[in-house]
Amino acid sequence: MEYFILFLPLIGAILSGFFHKIIGDKFCNYITSIFVSISAILSIIIFYNVILNNYENNILIAKWINSGNLQVNWSIKIDALSSVMLVVVNLISSLVHFYSIGYMSHDPHKPRFMAYLSLFTFAMLTLVTSDNFLQLFFGWEGVGLCSYFLIGFWFKKKSANSAAIKAFLVNRVGDFGFALGIFLIFYLFGTVNYAEVFQSVPLYINIDLDFLGLNLNAINLICILLFIGAMGKSAQFFLHTWLPDAMEGPTPVSALIHAATMVTAGVFLVVRCSPIYEYSEFALSVITTIGMTTALFAASIALVQNDIKKIIAYSTCSQLGYMFFAAGVGAYNVAMFHLFTHAFFKALLFLGAGSVIHAFNNEQNINKMGGVRNKLPFTYMLMLIGTLALTGFPMLSGFYSKDAIIEFAYLKGSSLGYYAASIGIFTALMTSIYSWRLFFKTFHGDFNNQEIKINNIHESPMVMIVPLIILAIGSVFAGYFFKDLFIGFEKSYQFWSSSIFFLEPLSNEHPPNWFLFLTPTLVVFSIPISFYLFVKRKDLLVYFVDGNRPFYNFLKNKWYFDEIYDYIFVKSLKKIGIYFWKKIDVLIIDRLGPDGISNIIKILSNKAVKFQSGYIYQYAFIMLVGFSALLTYLIVK
């Protein structure tokens, strides 16, 4: 069963990528979708087997590397953590595959697109089922490569190519840190296998290493290097700039990669490495700080964006921040719970946005929408469910997972925990505001598009709507039905016992009642306020956005991160490159190297040409001189 889960998406990718001219476009669409769907069904069976029977397995596919002390296998590791990720990856991927049949129906390169989706799914499955860091890194780089292909799928668009390159390069920064972390793990422990590394960690907690002239604790250094990799893949503060630009890819790509799978790989890495992170208080504090900063930062930018996909992209960035600061306060199971519920409602929002974009003939500016709730009734209701779940409306999935993160941060009892909880509450309020801003400006108010008549707006086909309905069901019920399994004090410890390590058990106390009701109250009251500001009295916001408003411009320009990075890195490196090209390469290397040698040969050849005059007396003279020189040499010798 496990073999089918892993290899069916790969087989679908090969068939669609290499044999589409033989089997046809339509067959490619359905064979890839069906194979991933079978993988999803089998993943659900595995998940329930883990829940009911504590099923665990480590299936050897092949012996991969056997060199000296380095013994690495390619395996399929099944435990609670990998089973959750299998369900998330395969279920969302299968729905995205079917959705893409309708969304990409007019694209002439559908087989290539479906092949990329399936190949990406295979790489992500390889990542989450690994039992060693090297296989994890293989899958890690695989999803990075496939994201490059998918973001730049419409390669004739310059913006799509630029976004793909940006995503690839920014992730290389994080991956460099990740690779150093793996090298250090092998240097310190002599192995890269999870079981052996995690078992040996307590023996090395007091070991210091000389790193870049600094004497650092080895476990702290490993944790920070691994987290740098997670920051890049999960678009955390400083390494986040690629995620919004990645919206240049087709909308199904956004739903698959940037909502439920690739961007959650960083969270998965930190949770998988909980036996290491639990011995590094410093690293956990860094993760908490970066996570809550990302949550606040991304939510603030989403408040003023007008591109429907970029708003949801910044929302993803913000929610990933929640997951990280949950892991940072030691609540790894809560981080996984939010990852699980977030996959449903964020994929629902992305695919719902795709349905809106499809209806508006590829228009993505929410200021050019409005007044179409009656024209798009299914999309309207489904995006309403997704918005409620994202904002943490009571009794929906986001309510259970997001509020649990805030509560466990509060129960941490440290100053950093209280600060993270405060940031989490304020971010939840901003999340509600920008989410309802998107929803109301898209569906309510007046129809604002001058290029399309409202009568031409139509609902998406059922092949796009049905995946949204399934995601909506998950967005409503996933939190309620799985809360005890993921974060209940008795069930969750039993469920996670083999895959998450807790040095100290999480607090089982309850926060004060006022704290429990604070976030849901703010979320509920933000709905009528948002409706009043964004539909009824839009003129009230003109003062904040008109003219030269520094704070608005600061948010609108995304805290000027792109401009700062462009100035510090791009322009400075370009100047250095131009200097070395003109001064070193051209004036020194070329002048003294190939150009200099070619000039000498040219001069000598020009001189030699003069001997080929065609006059017999000159040839006779040269022969006489040569004979005289030879005769002189023989006599002297």
Side-chain angles (χ1 to χ4, degrees):
M1 185 183 297
E2 287 85 350
Y3 289 108
F4 287 110
I5 291 174
L6 183 62
F7 288 110
L8 279 177
L10 178 61
I11 294 171
I14 293 172
L15 290 174
S16 183
F18 294 105
F19 301 102
H20 62 273
K21 291 184 178 179
I22 300 173
I23 61 180
D25 291 5
K26 185 175 290 187
F27 188 79
C28 289
N29 291 341
Y30 288 106
I31 197 67
T32 52
S33 303
I34 290 170
F35 278 6
V36 176
S37 298
I38 294 171
S39 185
I41 293 169
L42 296 177
S43 298
I44 294 172
I45 295 172
I46 291 286
F47 181 52
Y48 274 98
N49 199 9
V50 172
I51 295 172
L52 297 177
N53 304 315
N54 294 320
Y55 174 71
E56 289 184 30
N57 208 343
N58 195 341
I59 301 168
L60 177 66
I61 297 176
K63 292 185 179 295
W64 190 10
I65 299 174
N66 188 353
S67 177
N69 294 330
L70 184 61
Q71 310 274 335
V72 180
N73 297 328
W74 187 14
S75 304
I76 303 176
K77 179 179 176 63
I78 301 296
D79 60 3
L81 184 58
S82 62
S83 68
V84 170
M85 293 301 296
L86 286 176
V87 171
V88 170
V89 173
N90 279 319
L91 183 57
I92 302 301
S93 180
S94 62
L95 295 175
V96 168
H97 272 74
F98 279 108
Y99 179 92
S100 300
I101 294 174
Y103 190 86
M104 303 293 289
S105 59
H106 301 296
D107 195 286
H109 305 290
K110 292 188 295 295
R112 179 165 60 91
F113 182 76
M114 303 302 280
Y116 287 163
L117 287 181
S118 292
L119 184 62
F120 172 86
T121 305
F122 166 73
M124 192 69 193
L125 294 174
T126 303
L127 188 159
V128 300
T129 57
S130 60
D131 73 341
N132 61 79
F133 285 98
L134 203 59
Q135 183 182 333
L136 173 70
F137 191 72
F138 172 79
W140 192 275
E141 292 301 302
V143 293
L145 177 64
C146 292
S147 72
Y148 172 80
F149 291 151
L150 288 166
I151 295 168
F153 178 74
W154 287 322
F155 56 86
K156 293 183 179 180
K157 287 174 61 179
K158 183 179 179 182
S159 57
N161 286 324
S162 299
I165 293 171
K166 186 176 184 179
F168 195 79
L169 291 178
V170 173
N171 272 273
R172 294 290 70 71
V173 176
D175 293 353
F176 180 68
F178 186 29
L180 289 179
I182 296 174
F183 295 154
L184 185 55
I185 286 172
F186 181 71
Y187 171 78
L188 199 64
F189 299 102
T191 180
V192 291
N193 297 314
Y194 292 154
E196 298 170 12
V197 171
F198 297 159
Q199 187 177 5
S200 304
V201 170
L203 304 175
Y204 292 87
I205 56 177
N206 295 318
I207 300 295
D208 292 334
L209 294 173
D210 184 25
F211 182 76
L212 299 177
L214 301 173
N215 193 35
L216 302 174
N217 179 268
I219 300 300
N220 286 344
L221 183 57
I222 288 172
C223 289
I224 294 299
L225 289 173
L226 293 179
F227 180 59
I228 290 172
M231 286 174 64
K233 198 66 71 183
S234 295
Q236 292 299 283
F237 196 64
F238 295 124
L239 295 179
H240 66 277
T241 53
W242 67 271
L243 185 63
D245 289 24
M247 298 302 105
E248 289 291 337
T251 301
V253 173
S254 305
L256 179 63
I257 297 181
H258 308 118
T261 50
M262 188 182 93
V263 293
T264 61
V267 181
F268 169 81
L269 171 65
V270 172
V271 175
R272 173 62 83 190
C273 295
S274 58
I276 306 176
Y277 279 98
E278 280 293 271
Y279 290 98
S280 177
E281 191 67 33
F282 172 73
L284 289 177
S285 298
V286 171
I287 293 172
T288 305
T289 303
I290 293 293
M292 65 185 183
T293 303
T294 305
L296 178 67
F297 151 80
S300 68
I301 295 176
L303 287 170
V304 299
Q305 295 299 306
N306 294 319
D307 186 308
I308 188 171
K309 287 173 64 177
K310 285 192 176 182
I311 296 172
I312 304 174
Y314 276 111
S315 174
T316 300
C317 195
S318 180
Q319 298 305 305
L320 288 165
Y322 272 104
M323 298 175 205
F324 274 110
F325 82 68
V329 298
Y332 305 101
N333 55 331
V334 185
M336 288 304 300
F337 185 35
H338 194 51
L339 184 154
F340 181 75
T341 60
H342 175 265
F344 290 101
F345 58 75
K346 189 52 63 68
L348 172 59
L349 286 171
F350 266 120
L351 295 184
S355 182
V356 173
I357 294 168
H358 184 266
F360 276 91
N361 195 22
N362 297 323
E363 179 58 65
Q364 296 183 195
N365 189 336
I366 59 174
N367 290 323
K368 296 182 180 180
M369 298 178 185
V372 293
R373 63 184 182 277
N374 294 325
K375 290 289 184 180
L376 306 173
F378 290 114
T379 302
Y380 175 79
M381 289 302 301
L382 293 167
M383 283 201 72
L384 175 61
I385 293 171
T387 302
L388 288 168
L390 171 61
T391 58
F393 192 82
M395 309 310 292
L396 271 71
S397 59
F399 164 75
Y400 292 102
S401 57
K402 189 190 295 183
D403 279 31
I405 291 174
I406 297 171
E407 290 166 19
F408 274 97
Y410 179 85
L411 292 173
K412 181 70 175 177
S414 63
S415 56
L416 188 60
Y418 290 137
Y419 186 55
S422 302
I423 292 294
I425 294 170
F426 184 60
T427 302
L429 175 62
M430 289 196 293
T431 301
S432 187
I433 293 172
Y434 71 66
S435 298
W436 290 114
R437 174 177 176 265
L438 181 153
F439 183 79
F440 290 140
K441 289 178 78 70
T442 300
F443 295 103
H444 288 264
D446 299 324
F447 183 74
N448 297 312
N449 197 296
Q450 304 297 322
E451 299 174 3
I452 307 172
K453 293 181 179 180
I454 192 168
N455 292 329
N456 293 333
I457 301 294
H458 56 86
E459 187 60 271
S460 299
M462 290 308 294
V463 72
M464 295 172 63
I465 295 298
V466 170
L468 295 179
I469 294 173
I470 297 172
L471 290 170
I473 293 171
S475 300
V476 174
F477 297 111
Y480 177 78
F481 283 110
F482 291 97
K483 66 181 189 304
D484 290 334
L485 180 69
F486 279 81
I487 62 175
F489 291 109
E490 295 182 3
K491 261 190 175 181
S492 67
Y493 278 109
Q494 183 181 356
F495 178 69
W496 296 114
S497 60
S498 63
S499 52
I500 296 179
F501 174 73
F502 296 98
L503 191 61
E504 297 179 1
L506 296 175
S507 174
N508 59 0
E509 298 178 5
H510 289 280
N513 288 333
W514 67 267
F515 186 83
L516 291 174
F517 286 101
L518 179 58
T519 305
T521 302
L522 291 173
V523 166
V524 172
F525 275 102
S526 68
I527 299 175
I529 294 172
S530 299
F531 184 79
Y532 184 75
L533 290 175
F534 300 121
V535 178
K536 291 296 184 182
R537 291 295 306 276
K538 292 186 285 186
D539 57 299
L540 294 178
L541 296 174
V542 172
Y543 173 79
F544 295 98
V545 301
D546 265 6
N548 187 21
R549 306 293 180 189
F551 185 64
Y552 172 78
N553 291 333
F554 178 69
L555 297 180
K556 184 71 175 174
N557 289 285
K558 303 163 289 188
W559 290 28
Y560 294 103
F561 262 98
D562 284 324
E563 289 78 4
I564 293 170
Y565 284 172
D566 183 62
Y567 180 78
I568 295 176
F569 298 111
V570 178
K571 289 182 178 177
S572 59
L573 290 174
K574 190 175 180 180
K575 288 179 180 178
I576 293 172
I578 291 174
Y579 173 80
F580 275 98
W581 168 47
K582 291 186 176 180
K583 302 296 183 181
I584 307 299
D585 192 25
V586 175
L587 294 181
I588 298 177
I589 296 177
D590 286 351
R591 190 175 182 183
L592 299 179
D595 289 348
I597 294 172
S598 63
N599 287 334
I600 293 172
I601 293 173
K602 185 177 180 180
I603 293 170
L604 293 176
S605 64
N606 288 335
K607 297 293 185 183
V609 165
K610 294 181 179 180
F611 287 99
Q612 303 297 325
S613 62
Y615 295 110
I616 295 177
Y617 66 85
Q618 287 186 350
Y619 292 158
F621 176 73
I622 292 170
M623 292 172 63
L624 180 61
V625 170
F627 177 75
S628 301
L630 178 62
L631 187 62
T632 302
Y633 171 76
L634 292 174
I635 292 172
V636 170
K637 185 177 179 182

